[in-house]
């Protein structure tokens, strides 16, 4: 496999990936020195955060002081938590920061307020669901080795199931709730009424908090009546033991609270990308927009022809290791009746408004993806979808040949679709046992959304090497108005720097703003 993105490696370190994906990345990291370096950096960052981002605990008698003096205690700053799901490109380090900087409550104060779901430690959607009476106190627990694992409350609707839990010592004092699902045998699974497993698991953890969160997304699952969540834990706070707990969740009544609207014939084509809006689902804890994106017939034909051309040049094995032309997505916002933007999604160049999470799953068509984006409910009755632009990964005809030994004296520069890069060095990594050569590039990118992702290098003997691409695009701009960038191409398997190299940019992901505004009222069509 190609080297995972930095986001994926961060999620891997934080044990936020599904078990199969975690195992796949683990196998890759074991044989890839470059990824091992990145993983080590994330692990060091995690250790730093655990050590330094500790919020002070409120005193045990804090509640009594507040009630006796009747002095309002200021609400802590709200920081929205974005849970990470399979195929979601969000920073796992971001979730540690967001959860780690939330408010800290002692047990008596949290219970006085009505449990974790009534506090700012959870996202606004869960707070709204709790206010609507969906938080159910279950108080299920299991004890071993002097530690008690306790599930306190559950919120469930058609979009997700979220549980709050605690780890208590023999004196009833809350302990650290980090479950470390990746590096231990700890496991959490969920099954529906037919015994089918639900895989989209997220966890929330906060240094110094009394509570942890376990959440299963129900997106894409229809007609769920009953879900059983199984905790199979073998280590808590470094203590070996056996904590097994079964939590049944009845969805029969709560799923009736979801309003579903089929968006029939809501189809548009922009810059070779077809967008099909499928459904809007409004649940107590979230609003979900379901839609699909894919290449048009003409774009599919061009992409498939280009892929065959590259396969003839480099061989099918080389092409199979690259992401080629199978990615389309959109940027959009949603307005209320007054024309105010209340939700937005899809662009890295601006903050995503009201977005809880988003995920996509490949469908059986070139460039095809089925998307589900979840937003915080705002009680708006009239909503309008407005398309801002489309993304597509498409083939290129860019190639450049050069002599690596001459790069220091005569750097090679190139431009493509508004971005300008210069090859600065070509060399083997210092102090590395890797069989690889690294090409370092610097320059300016037209947009923060630019992605020079799929490359192939050919040496002077005609042998081809797929290149793993990584690097950074910065907010800071150069004198030409481009975003400064530092990028690396890692040529795995190349033992020495060759006399000559030819680079081929196989595909590039680009953003295209809409030429004509496309608006769709998010109401049910007859």
């Amino acid at each position: 496999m190609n080297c995972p993105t930095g986001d994926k490696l961060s999620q891997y370190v934080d044990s936020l990936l599904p078990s199969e994906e975690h195992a796949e990345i683990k196998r890759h990291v074991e044989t890839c020195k470059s990824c091992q370096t990145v993983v080590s950096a994330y692990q060091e960052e995690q250790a730093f955060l655990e050590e330094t981002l500790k919020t002070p605990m409120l005193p045990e008698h804090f509640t009594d002081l507040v009630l006796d003096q009747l002095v309002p205690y200021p609400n802590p700053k709200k920081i929205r938590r974005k849970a990470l799901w399979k195929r979601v490109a969000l920073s796992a380090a971001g979730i540690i920061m967001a959860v780690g900087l939330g408010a800290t409550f002692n047990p008596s104060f949290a219970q006085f307020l009505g449990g974790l779901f009534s506090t700012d430690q959870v996202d606004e959607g869960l707070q709204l669901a709790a206010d609507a009476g969906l938080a159910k106190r279950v108080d299920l627990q299991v004890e071993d080795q002097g530690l008690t694992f306790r599930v306190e409350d559950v919120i469930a609707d058609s979009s997700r199931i979220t549980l709050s839990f605690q780890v208590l010592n023999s004196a009833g004092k809350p302990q650290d709730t980090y479950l470390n699902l990746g590096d231990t045998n700890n496991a959490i699974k969920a099954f529906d009424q037919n015994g089918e497993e639900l895989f989209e698991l997220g966890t929330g953890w906060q240094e110094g908090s009394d509570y942890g969160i376990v959440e299963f997304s129900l997106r894409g699952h229809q007609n769920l009546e009953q879900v059983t969540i199984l905790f199979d834990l073998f280590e808590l706070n470094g203590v070996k033991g056996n904590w097994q707990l079964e939590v049944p969740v009845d969805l029969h009544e709560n799923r009736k609270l979801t309003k579903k609207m089929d968006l029939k014939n809501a189809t548009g084509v922009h810059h070779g990308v077809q967008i099909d809006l499928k459904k809007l689902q409004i649940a107590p804890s979230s609003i979900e927009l379901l839609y699909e994106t894919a290449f048009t017939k003409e774009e599919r034909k061009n992409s498939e022809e280009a892929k065959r051309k590259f396969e003839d040049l480099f061989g099918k094995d080389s092409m199979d290791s690259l992401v080629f032309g199978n990615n389309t997505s959109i940027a959009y916002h949603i307005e209320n009746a007054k024309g105010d933007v209340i939700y937005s999604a899809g662009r890295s160049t601006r903050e995503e408004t009201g977005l809880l999470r988003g995920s996509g799953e490949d469908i059986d068509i070139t460039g095809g993806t089925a998307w589900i984006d979840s937003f915080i409910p705002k009680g708006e009755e009239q909503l309008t979808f407005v398309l801002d632009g489309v993304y597509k990964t498409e083939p290129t005809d860019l190639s450049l040949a050069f002599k690596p030994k001459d790069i220091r004296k005569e750097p090679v520069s190139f431009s493509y679709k508004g971005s300008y890069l210069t090859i600065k060095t070509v060399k083997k990594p210092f102090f590395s046992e890797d069989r690889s050569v690294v090409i370092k590039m610097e320059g300016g990118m037209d947009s923060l959304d630019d992605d020079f992702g799929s490359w192939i290098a050919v040496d002077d003997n005609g042998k081809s090497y797929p290149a793993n691409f990584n690097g950074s695009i910065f907010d800071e701009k150069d004198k030409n108005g481009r975003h400064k960038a530092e990028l690396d191409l890692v040529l795995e398997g190349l033992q020495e720097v060759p006399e000559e190299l030819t680079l081929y940019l196989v595909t590039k992901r680009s953003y295209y703003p809409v030429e004509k505004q496309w608006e769709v009222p998010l109401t049910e069509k007859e």
Side-chain angles (χ1 to χ4, degrees):
M1 64 179 292
N2 271 357
C3 288
T5 64
D7 286 340
K8 282 294 183 186
L9 290 175
S10 181
Q11 294 174 45
Y12 165 77
V13 169
D14 293 323
S15 304
L16 296 172
L17 295 172
S19 56
E20 292 182 4
E21 191 174 8
H22 183 95
E24 182 182 8
I25 291 180
K26 183 178 181 181
R27 288 192 295 270
H28 173 81
V29 170
E30 288 173 350
T31 60
C32 178
K33 296 293 185 182
S34 298
C35 287
Q36 288 173 14
T37 301
V38 176
V39 166
S40 296
Y42 278 128
Q43 289 172 336
E44 290 175 4
E45 178 186 39
Q46 185 183 71
F48 172 79
L49 290 170
E50 291 178 4
E51 179 64 26
T52 61
L53 295 184
K54 294 181 178 180
T55 54
M57 294 295 295
L58 298 175
E60 292 292 330
H61 60 288
F62 175 75
T63 305
D64 295 331
L65 290 175
V66 173
L67 295 177
D68 290 341
Q69 298 181 34
L70 296 177
V71 176
Y73 185 74
N75 289 329
K77 180 180 179 181
K78 292 185 178 181
I79 301 179
R80 177 165 49 86
R81 179 181 62 86
K82 289 185 179 180
L84 297 203
W85 308 95
K86 188 176 182 181
R87 293 179 293 276
V88 178
L90 294 176
S91 169
I95 196 172
I96 293 178
M97 291 292 289
V99 177
L101 295 176
T104 298
F105 295 90
N106 66 29
S108 59
F109 191 54
Q111 290 164 4
F112 170 74
L113 291 175
L116 179 70
F117 294 129
S118 64
T119 74
D120 288 327
Q121 294 186 68
V122 298
D123 65 61
E124 293 176 62
L126 290 174
Q127 294 177 50
L128 290 171
D131 291 343
L134 268 69
K136 180 181 179 182
R137 181 62 53 94
V138 293
D139 275 336
L140 295 173
Q141 62 186 43
V142 58
E143 188 273 336
D144 191 28
Q145 305 300 316
L147 291 176
T148 298
F149 179 80
R150 171 176 177 257
V151 175
E152 182 177 88
D153 291 332
V154 176
I155 286 181
D157 60 21
S158 63
S159 66
R160 52 177 164 166
I161 298 172
T162 309
L163 305 88
S164 65
F165 69 89
Q166 292 183 299
V167 177
L168 308 173
N169 65 12
S170 57
K173 183 178 179 180
Q175 306 296 297
D176 188 0
T177 59
Y178 182 52
L179 297 181
N180 196 11
L181 298 180
D183 296 329
T184 66
N185 291 322
N186 290 347
I188 307 172
K189 296 183 178 181
F191 298 88
D192 67 12
Q193 67 269 16
N194 300 315
E196 296 292 329
E197 186 173 357
L198 311 179
F199 290 102
E200 293 194 35
L201 166 67
T203 58
W205 167 81
Q206 173 185 338
E207 178 74 23
S209 174
D210 297 348
Y211 289 90
I213 280 180
V214 169
E215 184 167 289
F216 281 91
S217 171
L218 305 184
R219 50 178 54 202
H221 296 280
Q222 303 295 324
N223 303 318
L224 287 178
E225 298 284 344
Q226 182 82 23
V227 172
T228 301
I229 298 176
L230 303 177
F231 291 87
D232 200 8
L233 308 176
F234 297 94
E235 183 176 329
L236 295 176
N237 289 319
V239 178
K240 305 288 186 180
N242 190 353
W243 296 267
Q244 294 182 335
L245 194 63
E246 181 175 310
V247 182
V249 180
D250 188 354
L251 293 164
H252 181 73
E253 292 300 324
N254 287 358
R255 62 191 292 266
K256 297 177 182 178
L257 301 175
T258 297
K259 182 180 179 181
K260 299 180 180 181
M261 292 178 280
D262 290 324
L263 307 173
K264 299 176 182 177
N265 302 318
T267 299
V269 175
H270 299 267
H271 297 285
V273 176
Q274 179 172 314
I275 305 107
D276 294 305
L277 303 184
K278 295 294 187 180
K279 187 180 296 185
L280 184 72
Q281 296 185 161
I282 303 176
S285 73
S286 69
I287 293 177
E288 295 183 335
L289 179 64
L290 289 72
Y291 60 96
E292 294 179 359
T293 62
F295 287 128
T296 60
K297 185 177 181 180
E298 182 178 356
E299 288 282 326
R300 290 199 301 271
K301 179 181 177 181
N302 293 338
S303 179
E304 289 163 0
E305 287 179 352
K307 184 175 182 178
R308 285 193 293 270
K309 175 184 174 182
F310 281 115
E311 286 177 348
D312 291 340
L313 283 173
F314 309 118
K316 190 175 186 304
D317 290 343
S318 294
M319 295 308 300
D320 285 345
S321 67
L322 298 175
V323 176
F324 190 94
N326 61 348
N327 185 9
T328 58
S329 60
I330 61 175
Y332 66 92
H333 65 273
I334 295 176
E335 300 176 353
N336 62 12
K338 297 179 180 179
D340 299 326
V341 176
I342 59 172
Y343 304 127
S344 64
R347 294 299 305 275
S348 63
T349 53
R350 69 179 184 199
E351 183 180 356
E352 292 175 317
T353 305
L355 184 70
L356 284 171
R357 65 187 64 86
S359 67
E361 184 172 353
D362 293 342
I363 56 178
D364 192 20
I365 185 173
T366 303
T369 306
W371 301 93
I372 304 178
D373 291 340
S374 300
F375 301 94
I376 298 169
K378 295 185 180 294
E380 301 281 354
E381 295 292 332
Q382 184 177 332
L383 302 175
T384 301
F385 170 96
V386 182
L387 182 68
D388 295 321
V390 303
Y391 295 91
K392 58 181 179 180
T393 302
E394 52 194 343
T396 84
D397 56 2
L398 175 66
S399 65
L400 57 153
F402 57 94
K403 295 182 178 181
K405 66 179 181 180
D406 297 334
I407 285 295
R408 287 192 177 274
K409 294 181 179 179
E410 300 178 10
V412 174
S413 300
F414 64 95
S415 61
Y416 190 80
K417 290 192 174 182
S419 296
Y420 185 89
L421 293 171
T422 298
I423 299 175
K424 306 295 286 187
T425 62
V426 182
K427 57 186 179 182
K428 291 181 62 63
F430 289 117
F431 310 112
S432 173
E433 298 178 358
D434 268 359
R435 297 174 54 187
S436 65
V437 169
V438 178
I439 301 174
K440 289 191 174 292
M441 302 181 184
E442 295 179 4
M445 306 294 274
D446 184 55
S447 167
L448 290 173
D449 300 304
D450 274 358
D451 179 12
F452 282 98
S454 296
W455 295 76
I456 283 183
V458 179
D459 66 14
D460 44 10
N461 294 316
K463 187 173 181 180
S464 60
Y465 302 87
N468 297 320
F469 169 82
N470 57 71
S472 300
I473 303 174
F474 303 100
D475 288 327
E476 182 183 359
K477 293 185 178 181
D478 61 21
K479 62 182 180 180
N480 297 308
R482 303 186 184 99
H483 293 275
K484 292 184 177 181
E486 297 176 0
L487 311 174
D488 289 352
L489 287 179
V490 182
L491 311 183
E492 299 288 352
L494 187 56
Q495 300 185 46
E496 300 293 339
V497 177
E499 290 294 320
E500 295 183 2
L501 264 178
T502 303
L503 291 180
Y504 295 86
L505 177 60
V506 181
T507 62
K508 181 182 184 297
R509 181 174 181 262
S510 299
Y511 175 73
Y512 296 90
V514 293
E515 296 173 341
K516 184 179 180 180
Q517 194 171 56
W518 185 48
E519 298 183 357
V520 179
L522 296 179
T523 57
E524 192 161 17
K525 305 288 185 67
E526 297 297 335

